[in-house]
Structure formats: C-alpha cells, structure tokens
Amino acid sequence: MTPAGAATVFVIDDDAAVRAAIQGLLKSVGLRSESFGTAQDFLRSKRPDGPSCLVLDVRLPGINGLDFQRQLADAGVRIPIIFITGHGDIPMTVKAMKSGAVEFLTKPFRDQDLLDAIHQALDRDRVTRQQQTEVAELRKCYEVLTAREREVMGLVVSGMLNKQIAFELGTSEITVKIHRGHVMRKMQAESLAELVRMAAKLELPPGKQ
C-alpha cells in the first residue's frame, strides 16, 4: 500500500533498460516510482492519489510524447511532465515547454539534472493540489449560500456599498447588512479583502452571481 499523500514518479519509456535505470536512481534517493512501456499502459493503470509527475520519452510506440501531453491536457489530467529524448531538437523543446512541460532533457542526461527536474515537478504538483483542495472547500461554502446571498456577495466583491446594493436589489440597507453578515459567516471570511480573494479563486463573474 502507498502511504496517503506519498509522491509517485511515473516513467514511460519503451526501453526497459532506461526504465530500470531511472527507477534505480529514484529508489536510491527514496522516491517511489512506477514504470510503463507505452502511454496506453499508463492510462490503464490505477494511479495512487498523491503528488506525482511523469518522466515521458518523446518517441513512444503508438503515440509520441508531445501528442500524449496534449491528450492528457484535453482529458483534464493535470500532471507535470519531464520529457526525455535521444533525438531532441529546438522546435520540439519549445513546443513541449510552451505546453507546460517542466523540463526537456536530451539523453544521455546527468542524474542530478533529472532529479532536480523531478523535485521541481513534484513541488509544482503539491502546490496545484493544495489550490484545488482550497477551491473545493470554498465551493462547498459557496453552495450553502442562498440565491440572494450569492447576489449580495457578487455585488459586495465588485466594490459596491451597502446602500448601492440595496438600491440595485430593491431592498433595504438593513436587509443587505444581514445578508452580507450571512455571506461572511458562511464563507468563513474574516474581511472584505478575504472575500474578494475567495471570489477570485472561485472565478465568479463580476456583479450578480
């Protein structure tokens, strides 16, 4: 069993010797890894839930690494990728990096360069996962708000004063204050600035929600 939250490095390379060498390197520094000969094998696998990254060979049977990078993005699989290749060229590197790759290493590469890239990728994934958890918690709080409280929240974070909101919604200022209090409590916001940041993380449209 993998400990909850443990990091995993996935290695996809059709060369078994390369897979074994990378897994041996990772084991020597205490990193857990799983390896696959093809992209399809990786997709079929059950992946543990924890920080992860992908060490991906550009030339693979069936689908090349760059196409697989795009396929993962299209499927909503957000995993940091480190490309390795025996035949790298500048345009290929540029394309990979523009699509969000962490690093593009040409074989033979230094072990330390690969380890540095892996640690950078795992750190990136930890941050992304933390942000996703925060947004999921905020979303739960937001879903508890009534339709009117969502309207008030949208107008509050757009910078409107209570009396302007009251006029906009055709209600009294005291009613707006009550709704605003409910919003702050349910969203667990300590200040207006924090509520604005929450709205930004939730990507709420400006104005009425």
Side-chain angles (χ1 to χ4, degrees):
M1 286 290 290
T2 308
T8 307
V9 180
F10 299 107
V11 182
I12 305 180
D13 195 303
D14 59 335
D15 186 327
V18 171
R19 294 200 303 274
I22 292 175
Q23 286 198 279
L25 170 66
L26 295 172
K27 189 175 181 182
S28 73
V29 295
L31 281 170
R32 184 184 179 282
S33 65
E34 293 180 20
S35 73
F36 307 90
T38 68
Q40 288 74 17
D41 289 344
F42 170 74
L43 288 175
R44 281 193 290 265
S45 70
K46 187 175 185 337
R47 296 183 288 282
D49 184 30
S52 59
C53 69
L54 191 55
V55 177
L56 180 61
D57 189 18
V58 171
R59 311 276 170 148
L60 287 170
I63 180 172
N64 74 45
L66 292 172
D67 286 342
F68 187 54
Q69 179 187 30
R70 191 174 64 248
Q71 197 178 84
L72 286 174
D74 290 345
V77 179
R78 303 270 177 258
I79 182 169
I81 296 174
I82 297 139
F83 280 106
I84 55 174
T85 179
H87 337 264
D89 58 29
I90 300 289
M92 195 186 287
T93 307
V94 169
K95 185 178 178 186
M97 300 303 276
K98 273 187 175 174
S99 298
V102 174
E103 188 56 273
F104 197 102
L105 299 172
T106 305
K107 301 173 188 174
F109 43 77
R110 289 172 55 240
D111 287 353
Q112 194 55 51
D113 288 342
L114 178 60
L115 289 174
D116 287 348
I118 285 170
H119 284 300
Q120 184 186 341
L122 290 174
D123 285 345
R124 183 190 287 187
D125 199 43
R126 282 189 190 97
V127 170
T128 300
R129 283 169 175 272
Q130 179 61 36
Q131 289 170 341
Q132 286 171 341
T133 301
E134 283 175 19
V135 170
E137 290 299 319
L138 286 177
R139 181 68 58 192
K140 278 186 198 168
C141 293
Y142 184 73
E143 283 169 1
V144 174
L145 300 182
T146 64
R148 179 45 64 100
E149 285 165 356
R150 291 181 191 185
E151 278 186 308
V152 169
M153 177 174 167
L155 297 170
V156 166
V157 299
S158 73
M160 288 175 72
L161 302 173
N162 287 349
K163 62 183 178 185
Q164 294 171 314
I165 296 171
F167 178 78
E168 175 78 20
L169 299 179
T171 188
S172 70
E173 198 171 333
I174 190 75
T175 302
V176 170
K177 281 182 181 174
I178 292 168
H179 285 315
R180 187 169 177 159
H182 290 166
V183 168
M184 298 296 281
R185 181 175 53 79
K186 290 180 180 179
M187 293 302 296
Q188 299 169 29
E190 298 290 328
S191 65
L192 173 58
E194 191 178 357
L195 192 67
V196 171
R197 282 195 293 274
M198 289 174 171
K201 283 180 182 174
L202 289 168
E203 298 179 348
L204 303 179
K208 290 187 183 181
Q209 303 307 329

